[in-house]
Amino acid sequence: MDVIKIAIEKVLYPNMERIRGNHIRNYTNELKKHEGYSTIDIETLYSQKLTALLLTCAEHVPAYKGKINKILAITNPMEILKSLPPLTKKNFMSKPDCYLNENIDKKTLIPNRTGGSTSEPVRFFIDRKTVEYYEAARWRGLSWYGISPGSRSVMVWGSPIELGNLKSRIHNIEEQYLKNRIVIPAYSLNADDISQYVKLINRYKPEYLYGYSSALFTLSALMEKQGVKPEIPLKAVVSTSETLFDFQRDKIRNIFSCPVVNEYGARDGGILAYECPNGGLHISAENAILEVVDPVTYKPLKMGEAGLLLVTDLNNFSMPRLRYVLGDMAALCSERCSCNRGMPVLKELSGRVDDMFVSKDGHLIHGHAFNHVARNLTAIAKFQILQLSENKAILKYVLNDQAPKSEVDTFLDSVRNILKGSEIEIHQVSDIPPEKSGKYRYAIRQFELKN
Ligand SMILES: [Zn+2]
């Protein structure tokens, strides 16, 4: 019996609701009700929310005043939304205060910021209701796997200091007793500590693991290399914050023998989609409207075509950002998922637009192209490629023990072929550490796409 789980669900949560006015459980139940809705009912639901948001923007948000026809916002809110220009991070950051609702006291809002590992961090404000709806979307998704807010978990994550500047001891106690979870540091995963982590997982008996896909993959790969597997049944391993590649999913599933679940969330967008047991990546359609546009022209794309994702958060009336360019690439799907849940589905979630490289003749090249080559070669342990301009890139790579020279040559030739005509600076290195957060990126474009 998990006493902490019972205490969280029977004591902590009800008291948080009574004392602090927390609504996460109510919102989760509300979202769960929508699972049986038809596509039309879901559309009606978000259209109503969108109308209210557009009217608020028209009246109280300086950035949108005079730009929204209020009559049309009531009769055809989607048309009005689509008539507005996408909001890039750069444009938002040039005048963030213009996006604050004049009727809301800034002091009541929660300041937040994105990690900004390769670009300028985005600073913004958010209100409690919006955050609680994000949490509710996460708990709805996890409930599909029998996981509830008190369920014990192991997180494979950045260190406590990076997470919140709290003293790590207090942080660990809070994590263990108020959230029923412990953290394995994603940044320092190495072969020497693996048996210790496996023992920890076996002893702690979590219901699920949660972490960055690259960290969960590294953990699984190290376990496979040492021939160890956890001895406890898990309900799921949940991958978040990064693209979950098929090769990563396969390895994680093979080691942990349970469903590997893709959670799609962003610091400045919330929990936007959750994978169901049938493999459909269901959009949190009551929380956000997602659109897909061409990454260069910003023109709308057809259903099924992959492009840049625009997000309109339907709960954030405090600092609304309409058609916000999150930087991720995806495609929308017109078919209903076989699980019959009503929320629409993202067909393809293919990483960040910064992972897209540009060839010398101006074509976009997906960063996965490099990954695809490396995955089929046993020689390449790790690599990272940075594109500095259409003409220049830097490649770093780490070799596995006894790497055959022919494979190394194949890898380098393939990279040169993908970036034909570019100057490529090549460095063989002993390691490529992840970013401070524990995240790891294979391909990074460091200049802006031209219109
Ligand atoms: Zn589904």
Side-chain angles (χ1 to χ4, degrees), residues 341-352:
R341 290 182 177 89
M343 297 85 69
V345 171
L346 274 183
K347 188 177 156 200
E348 203 181 307
L349 192 59
S350 44
R352 296 193 54 78

Side-chain angles (χ1 to χ4, degrees), residues 276 278 280 282 337 339 341:
C276 77
N278 291 22
H282 288 275
C337 179
C339 76
R341 290 182 177 89

Side-chain angles (χ1 to χ4, degrees), residues 103-174:
N103 268 7
I104 290 178
D105 182 0
K106 198 171 164 182
K107 290 194 207 84
T108 64
L109 300 177
I110 306 159
N112 206 335
R113 53 172 278 180
T114 59
S117 50
T118 52
S119 56
E120 186 88 344
V122 178
R123 293 167 202 279
F124 57 98
F125 288 92
I126 200 161
D127 52 42
R128 258 184 62 187
K129 185 182 170 191
T130 306
V131 174
E132 290 181 1
Y133 266 110
Y134 292 167
E135 283 298 303
R138 172 180 284 126
W139 292 121
R140 169 172 66 182
L142 288 172
S143 75
W144 301 338
Y145 300 88
I147 295 166
S148 54
S151 289
R152 177 165 290 193
S153 66
V154 168
M155 278 179 99
V156 188
W157 210 250
S159 81
I161 303 297
E162 283 141 18
L163 281 176
N165 294 328
L166 290 171
K167 285 184 182 161
S168 73
R169 242 175 107 185
I170 298 171
H171 179 89
N172 287 343
I173 292 168
E174 277 185 1

Side-chain angles (χ1 to χ4, degrees), residues 222-257:
L222 288 169
M223 286 166 83
E224 186 184 60
K225 217 169 181 181
Q226 299 195 6
V228 285
K229 275 189 176 190
E231 290 158 8
I232 50 152
L234 287 166
K235 290 179 174 170
V237 174
V238 181
S239 154
T240 191
S241 296
E242 294 175 324
T243 310
L244 173 64
F245 296 103
D246 285 344
F247 72 87
Q248 294 174 321
R249 187 194 284 274
D250 292 347
K251 180 121 10 198
I252 299 166
R253 190 171 37 213
N254 189 22
I255 289 294
F256 290 97
S257 309

